[in-house]
């Protein structure tokens, strides 16, 4: 019974393919792929609609206000109202804009986010597209985001749009390096670029209680934090939403977009956030595995989406808590701190592996990270830059 509930969606797909069992093999492969695509789109577009209203309600509670509560019970139909509004709004394109590129930019951005969602294992035997270099595919496809953002800024024929696009590309390039390097220790320790094998390598429990997730190692915890912060930047989320600094450059590369094109940018940002969070769950938090052995009766996909929901809540929490950073502060953090720490995680993972992956390796890896972190703290002493401010008011 437990196994049947865990594999219910796998069995459902098998039943649908059984209906066309006599068809040519190429047709069966096409139908199988279409089923996976429809399932991924249905799940994450529904999640996008839910998170768009839940984020506003959670932010409202954190800021002591109500949030959306007019459309439907408890305001849950607000995404439907927003979607209708975006569909019927006038699509305004600047007269001198490159209309073809202006149209393609949000489409490409959304397509990239959807493609990256296809290689993440959402449960036992529930990876939409299993390929040998799944992690490599994720980053290769995700790197096209910069091109789509540049297309949006350049095609708009607007100085603010172009400036916003350049800022977005600069921060994306800067934080893609620690994002990718933070994943290298996991790939190196597992010896595979296949997400399913990475999840399998995190199976079992130490002393029967502590799960063998990589986040419970010194190098894994550090790499997870670096990956999470880099994911915030790649998703243009607070406190790193510099490209959309409305007080400085209106709305960045989206300044000249309206209606459903703007909604597509908005959707692509959230889908990218889902993809990065899903990869963080896969690489560091055990993927679909249960935190305790006695809880393995819960379906594997439930554990994955619970972990994903926890990370998404942290995204919302940070948005409600932190102010926007300056561009120079963000770049300094990437190049002077996060990049060296990402390389340190690679060295610490190697030390942990060759020291036997036991307590001795754990302590040696922790020592490597503490030494480098302490050295960077001394070299990058910022007490002078962020000194205590004294405000003087006229009497």
């Amino acid at each position: 019974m437990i196994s049947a509930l865990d594999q219910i969606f796998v069995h459902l797909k098998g039943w649908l393919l059984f209906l066309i069992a006599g068809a040519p093999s190429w047709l069966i492969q096409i139908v199988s792929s279409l089923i996976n695509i429809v399932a991924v789109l249905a799940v994450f577009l529904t999640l996008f609609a839910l998170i768009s209203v839940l984020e506003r309600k959670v932010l409202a509670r954190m800021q002591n206000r109500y949030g959306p509560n007019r459309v439907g019970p408890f305001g849950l139909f607000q995404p439907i109202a927003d979607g209708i509004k975006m569909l019927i709004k006038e699509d305004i394109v600047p007269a001198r804009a490159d209309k073809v590129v202006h149209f393609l930019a949000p489409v490409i951005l959304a397509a990239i986010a959807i493609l990256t969602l296809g290689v993440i294992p959402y449960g036992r035997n529930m990876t939409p597209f299993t390929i040998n270099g799944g992690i490599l595919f994720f980053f290769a496809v995700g790197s096209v985001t910069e091109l789509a953002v540049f297309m949006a800024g350049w095609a708009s024929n607007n100085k603010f749009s172009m400036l916003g696009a350049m800022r977005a590309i600069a921060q994306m390039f800067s934080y893609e390096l620690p994002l990718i390097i933070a994943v290298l220790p996991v790939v190196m320790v597992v010896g595979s670029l296949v997400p399913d094998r990475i999840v399998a390598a995190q199976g079992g429990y130490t002393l029967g209680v502590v799960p063998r997730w990589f986040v419970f190692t010194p190098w894994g915890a550090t790499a997870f934090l670096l990956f999470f912060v880099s994911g915030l930047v790649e998703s243009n989320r607070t406190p790193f939403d510099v490209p959309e600094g409305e007080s400085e450059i209106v709305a960045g590369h989206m300044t000249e977009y309206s209606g459903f094109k703007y909604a597509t940018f908005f959707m692509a940002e959230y889908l990218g956030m889902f993809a990065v969070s899903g990869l963080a769950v896969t690489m560091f938090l055990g993927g679909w595995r249960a935190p305790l052995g006695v809880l393995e009766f819960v379906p594997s996909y439930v554990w994955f989406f619970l972990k994903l929901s926890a990370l998404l809540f942290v995204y919302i929490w940070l948005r409600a808590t932190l102010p926007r950073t300056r561009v120079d502060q963000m770049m300094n953090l990437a190049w002077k701190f996060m990049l060296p720490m990402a390389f340190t995680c690679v060295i610490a993972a190697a030390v942990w592996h060759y020291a036997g992956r036991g307590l001795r390796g754990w302590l040696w890896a922790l020592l490597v990270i503490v030494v480098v972190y302490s050295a960077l703290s001394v070299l990058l002493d910022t007490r002078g830059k962020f000194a205590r401010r004294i405000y003087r008011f006229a009497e």
Side-chain angles (χ1 to χ4, degrees):
M1 179 63 183
I2 295 174
S3 176
L5 185 61
D6 184 44
Q7 297 294 293
I8 184 170
F9 297 109
V10 178
H11 295 327
L12 178 61
K13 178 186 174 183
W15 178 77
L16 292 174
L17 293 177
F18 178 76
L19 297 177
I20 57 169
S25 59
W26 61 268
L27 180 60
I28 294 176
Q29 291 179 359
I30 292 175
V31 173
S32 176
S33 299
L34 288 175
I35 292 173
N36 291 339
I37 292 169
V38 170
V40 169
L41 288 176
V43 169
F44 283 100
L45 290 181
T46 303
L47 184 58
F48 163 64
L50 286 174
I51 199 70
S52 64
V53 65
L54 289 177
E55 178 173 12
R56 293 162 69 180
K57 293 185 78 68
V58 171
L59 288 174
R61 292 298 178 184
M62 290 181 175
Q63 297 166 356
N64 197 25
R65 54 189 177 85
Y66 288 110
N69 62 351
R70 298 289 181 180
V71 186
F74 307 105
L76 293 178
F77 293 165
Q78 187 66 44
I80 299 175
D82 291 339
I84 295 172
K85 180 186 74 171
M86 289 296 183
L87 279 171
I88 63 177
K89 283 189 71 173
E90 182 181 2
D91 180 24
I92 301 173
V93 181
R96 294 186 179 182
D98 189 322
K99 294 178 175 54
V100 175
V101 179
H102 188 271
F103 170 79
L104 288 177
V107 176
I108 292 175
L109 201 61
I112 292 167
I114 293 170
L115 284 172
T116 55
L117 291 169
V119 296
I120 298 173
Y122 301 105
R124 189 179 283 106
N125 303 320
M126 289 179 61
T127 306
F129 299 97
T130 304
I131 56 179
N132 288 333
I135 304 300
L136 186 62
F137 175 85
F138 185 97
F139 288 110
V141 172
S143 64
V144 187
T145 303
E146 287 89 333
L147 176 62
V149 170
F150 177 76
M151 288 170 62
W154 180 82
S156 297
N157 193 29
N158 181 305
K159 293 179 181 179
F160 292 108
S161 298
M162 194 63 186
L163 181 61
M166 290 297 100
R167 285 167 61 156
I169 292 170
Q171 78 172 45
M172 286 178 178
F173 273 129
S174 300
Y175 279 86
E176 264 191 5
L177 289 172
L179 186 76
I180 295 172
I181 295 170
V183 170
L184 285 181
V186 176
V187 174
M188 183 174 66
V189 167
V190 177
S192 175
L193 286 165
V194 180
D196 292 283
R197 294 182 185 174
I198 292 172
V199 174
Q202 299 177 75
Y205 302 89
T206 303
L207 302 176
V209 179
V210 182
R212 294 176 181 172
W213 301 349
F214 293 133
V215 75
F216 292 114
T217 61
W219 59 267
T222 307
F224 171 71
L225 291 175
L226 295 173
F227 186 92
F228 185 80
V229 173
S230 300
L232 280 172
V233 180
E234 292 292 312
S235 304
N236 286 335
R237 297 284 301 185
T238 306
F240 303 110
D241 54 338
V242 172
E244 301 165 26
E246 56 276 345
S247 61
E248 306 161 16
I249 48 175
V250 192
H253 56 281
M254 298 184 291
T255 300
E256 296 294 351
Y257 283 88
S258 61
F260 201 71
K261 290 180 184 176
Y262 184 87
T264 304
F265 272 113
F266 189 67
M267 179 186 70
E269 182 178 301
Y270 275 86
L271 292 179
M273 183 172 68
F274 299 156
V276 172
S277 300
L279 188 64
V281 170
T282 301
M283 303 295 289
F284 302 102
L285 301 179
W288 44 261
R289 295 191 172 276
L292 294 172
V294 296
L295 297 176
E296 289 185 350
F297 67 91
V298 178
S300 56
Y301 50 85
V302 172
W303 285 119
F304 179 89
F305 281 100
L306 282 176
K307 296 174 186 178
L308 181 67
S309 300
L311 291 184
L312 294 178
F313 175 76
V314 176
Y315 274 81
I316 299 171
W317 191 359
L318 291 175
R319 180 178 178 182
T321 306
L322 300 176
R324 181 181 294 128
T325 59
R326 295 201 316 256
V327 178
D328 61 317
Q329 294 172 347
M330 190 169 60
M331 291 302 174
N332 282 334
L333 178 66
W335 292 101
K336 296 180 180 179
F337 179 77
M338 294 191 65
L339 192 59
M341 286 302 299
F343 281 114
T344 303
C345 290
V346 176
I347 298 171
V351 171
W352 176 80
H353 172 73
Y354 286 110
R357 300 194 177 193
L359 179 60
R360 187 177 67 169
W362 201 95
L363 293 174
W364 276 108
L366 179 62
L367 178 63
V368 170
I369 290 172
V370 168
V371 167
V372 175
Y373 178 82
S374 302
L376 288 174
S377 300
V378 173
L379 293 173
L380 305 176
D381 187 9
T382 57
R383 284 177 295 181
K385 296 180 181 178
F386 300 100
R388 189 184 188 91
R389 294 186 178 182
I390 299 175
Y391 293 94
R392 294 182 175 86
F393 302 93
E395 295 181 359

